[in-house]
Amino acid sequence: MGFMSSAGRALLAVGAAFGLGWSGAASEPISVDDLSRLPMIESLSLSPDGKKLVALIASRGEKSESPALSVWDLDNPSKAPVITEAGGNVEFMFAEALKGGKVLVYARSPYTGETYGCIESSGGVGRTYQEKLLFTGYDLKKFDDPFAIRGTLRGRSDATRRCLELASRGSVLTNLLTLDPEHVIVQELDTTSFRVDYKRYNLATGATSLLFSDSAQQSADFLDPRDGQVWTRSSTQSSGGSYRVDVQVRDAQSGGFSVHQPLTALFEERRTVVVVGRDEATGKFYVITDQFSDKTRAYFYDPASRAYDPEPLFAHNDFSVTGVLLGSHGSDFNRLLGFVYLADIPRVYWLDEELGGLAASVETAFPGMDVAITDFNEDRSRILVSVSRSDRPTRYFLLRDKAQLVPLGEAAPWIDTGKTSAAELVHYEARDGLRIPALLTPPSGWSRGDAPAKAVVLPHGGPWARDFARWDDWVQFFTSRGFVVLQPQYRGSTGWGHELWLAGDAEWGQKMQDDKDDGAMWLASQGYADPERMIIFGYSYGGPAAVPATARGGGPLKAAAAGAGVADLSRLSSAWSENRQQRLYQGRTVRGLNPIQNAGANPIPLLIFHGDRDVRVPISHSRSFFNRARSRQPTTFVEIKDMPHSFPWKASWRREVLGGIEKFLETDCRL
């Protein structure tokens, strides 16, 4: 798995030119403006033939509020890229180069009006965003909506039509039909039956042909990447007052489907069983599952014998395996290239010697950095590479002819990396003995033996989610201001094993909150933090994780900042009241201490911020909690105009959030 020495020298020269040494402590923090600016370049992808590069860029530099779409001709590197801005109120969010000279674009625009209860709000007049998937050519001149509703909807009201326009109606399965030069498979909600249809879509003409439809009884799971045919589908069955998911597998000879018991799982057990690929030579399926272990592993499942192979294909003692990498080009189609597992970041165990060798050589050029191969063309003469670390904004390169590493751009070249700090994965013990993983980022310039620092406990959203040790504006905001940051992967987090995930059930504000408090006390016991200067900050679920610090007595945290958090658990759980299956799967887990009923129990300073176009967690949650808490504790409420719940955020929203936190730290916390 070596690499040509001349190429290695060339790569090392590139790495040295960027300077990766430690530059000492920062005298001034990274400014709010620098942390809020739109990335200079992001969302990069190559066309399948490697001739085009597509990305989103900040076309107006530090004044950019929304990204522009850009296409480079890699055969003519001196030629200026084609660039277009969305215009009006439309904002580009994501882009991907496709075959057939097409680009897939994800865009959104603000909407104010009747929501009919068809999106995440409860109905009535709302402020939200309408999202669309669009196709355009590499010239970026014409944008087509493949899921637009055209003509009248027979038997449907105007309200239903508008509801369908607001809701997300379709998606493009870009990992399928990779050998077909003209077609992709789209997944679309049928406006008549409200079933999900799978269609073959011609990128040149827009013509579609129906492949199959999901029904109320069953839905497609794994589709063959060669032709799109369904290999596995699932159905939900009632089972003794509960529900189970039966997985049906298609017989290669007869084409009929039958239930395979080894792949079946009960809802409440929440075992992972995901078919992620099929080996064409043996007919076996690649399955990611935790049926036999706490962490997910990769197995071969033989549909002929209806049994898993005795040993996993790939397993990691400490981390969950989440996927297999299969070739998508003619020369390597469906060949197993490697496995993906979740450590401090998603990491690849390469089986393909050439790709593994290339990745290792780039790592040699950038010691200590995280290197990822994100895209490549048929003969691998053009490979898209990202180089990053938790204290370094991502840089992008094109590896040409497996030897020349060409810089493409950096997400935030204005960041002074002498003021940043790197995260490390640690573990601490909760009060009941459960082992909690966490990311620890010390203050910029701080070393073991220095005086204990101020501390921020920063829980992630979700809560069925997890953190990764990547560049994080919020983390670097705090560390450059002298705080140590702990990101606890508290019980209820996913990606760390089945036990930790289920341990959070019905423990909102209780044991889930203990994990954050125990993390803060661990910081103090290890000499990282001053126990009198510790706060909590969180967004989304991190909001209701921050609020309980003020809603239950005692605890080590001296202030709290909560963004877009659920303040009333009863309102959240009622969203699943009409869906028994969803109640069993997730709704039953949302129980515990209800913040709004305990506002002010611990009257520490509190900052609440929320966007007024948030429909995932309506702003009424924060307004209600503010009205309840402000007479009982020092409370500040910042309402941010036009900001939705989900990222990406405009630069102005980032400035307002970070600016509000900075003011809160200076005036209310006085740390």
Side-chain angles (χ1 to χ4, degrees), residues 173 185-200 208-221 223 228-230 232-235 248 257:
L173 308 181
I185 292 179
V186 299
Q187 188 180 32
E188 183 177 13
L189 180 66
D190 183 87
T191 57
T192 302
S193 64
F194 290 107
R195 298 178 307 185
V196 174
D197 290 338
Y198 292 79
K199 300 177 180 178
R200 189 185 302 271
T208 62
S209 58
L210 181 66
L211 292 173
F212 54 91
S213 298
D214 282 348
S215 68
Q217 291 75 37
Q218 59 194 20
S219 59
D221 290 334
L223 281 61
Q229 67 179 321
V230 179
T232 69
R233 64 191 189 191
S234 60
S235 61
Q248 304 171 19
F257 284 84

Side-chain angles (χ1 to χ4, degrees), residues 450-464:
D450 289 352
K454 302 174 288 186
V456 175
V457 176
L458 203 168
H460 59 73
W464 289 5

Side-chain angles (χ1 to χ4, degrees), residues 325-633:
L325 296 179
L326 300 171
S328 60
H329 298 287
S331 57
D332 63 10
F333 184 78
N334 216 33
R335 180 160 59 85
L336 183 60
L337 306 179
F339 298 94
V340 181
Y341 64 96
L342 301 183
D344 54 340
I345 63 170
R347 296 190 180 275
V348 176
Y349 181 87
W350 288 106
L351 296 177
D352 185 280
E353 291 191 2
E354 182 177 57
L355 291 174
L358 291 170
S361 294
V362 179
E363 289 168 359
T364 301
F366 296 98
M369 301 294 285
D370 297 319
V371 172
I373 291 176
T374 60
D375 210 351
F376 52 89
N377 64 341
E378 170 83 30
D379 63 4
R380 302 178 179 178
S381 61
R382 290 173 180 173
I383 300 175
L384 196 58
V385 176
S386 68
V387 177
S388 62
R389 201 168 62 190
S390 58
D391 61 340
R392 308 268 171 167
T394 305
R395 287 166 285 176
Y396 302 96
F397 298 87
L398 184 68
L399 182 58
R400 284 183 177 269
D401 301 320
K402 306 172 188 176
Q404 182 187 12
L405 200 60
V406 180
L408 296 174
E410 184 174 352
W414 53 82
I415 293 292
D416 181 353
T417 54
K419 300 178 179 181
T420 61
S421 189
E424 64 173 308
L425 177 61
V426 298
H427 292 81
Y428 63 90
E429 192 172 283
R431 65 191 67 182
D432 63 356
L434 187 63
R435 190 167 183 254
I436 307 296
L439 296 177
L440 173 70
T441 311
S444 177
W446 190 91
S447 300
R448 291 287 282 174
D450 289 352
K454 302 174 288 186
V456 175
V457 176
L458 203 168
H460 59 73
W464 289 5
R466 58 156 289 169
D467 287 307
F468 293 104
R470 291 170 168 160
W471 175 263
D472 188 310
D473 295 336
W474 285 341
V475 171
Q476 300 303 330
F477 168 86
F478 285 111
T479 58
S480 70
R481 285 161 175 76
F483 288 82
V484 56
V485 176
L486 186 75
Q487 296 169 272
Q489 308 305 291
Y490 48 83
R491 66 194 73 203
S493 300
T494 55
W496 298 99
H498 193 253
E499 179 187 6
L500 187 71
W501 182 22
L502 267 62
D505 287 3
E507 292 291 350
W508 286 46
Q510 298 175 156
K511 289 183 179 180
M512 289 171 76
Q513 197 66 23
D514 291 344
D515 293 345
K516 291 107 178 175
D517 287 354
D518 293 345
M521 291 186 287
W522 177 83
L523 285 175
S525 71
Q526 299 299 306
Y528 289 103
D530 180 344
E532 297 303 316
R533 299 193 298 167
M534 299 194 294
I535 69 171
I536 187 169
F537 163 69
Y539 183 79
S540 192
Y541 167 80
V547 166
T550 77
R552 60 184 210 168
L557 301 164
K558 309 304 181 184
V566 175
D568 188 346
L569 295 192
S570 65
R571 291 178 56 192
L572 179 62
S573 59
S574 66
W576 294 305
S577 62
E578 297 180 1
N579 188 326
R580 176 170 171 74
Q581 295 175 19
Q582 186 65 16
R583 287 203 310 274
L584 284 169
Y585 191 64
Q586 187 172 22
R588 67 188 182 88
T589 73
V590 185
R591 295 195 302 270
L593 181 142
N594 195 343
I596 200 164
Q597 294 177 352
N598 297 273
N602 184 22
I604 59 177
L606 171 65
L607 168 68
I608 302 171
F609 64 92
H610 212 128
D612 68 0
R613 287 190 181 271
D614 190 337
V615 294
R616 177 159 298 172
V617 180
I619 195 171
S620 56
H621 276 274
S622 288
R623 288 171 177 161
S624 297
F625 193 85
F626 171 68
N627 290 331
R628 180 74 65 93
R630 61 180 175 175
S631 63
R632 308 177 187 188
Q633 64 190 107

Side-chain angles (χ1 to χ4, degrees), residues 32 36 607 609-610 638-643 650-662:
V32 167
S36 301
L607 168 68
F609 64 92
H610 212 128
V638 177
E639 185 171 317
I640 302 175
K641 181 177 175 57
D642 288 332
M643 191 175 82
K650 290 184 177 181
S652 58
W653 302 333
R654 300 184 198 191
R655 285 193 297 270
E656 193 164 356
V657 169
L658 291 178
I661 296 170
E662 187 162 58

Side-chain angles (χ1 to χ4, degrees), residues 2-13 361 364 402-403:
F3 194 58
M4 295 171 59
S5 59
S6 60
R9 288 194 295 271
L11 294 179
L12 285 170
S361 294
T364 301
K402 306 172 188 176

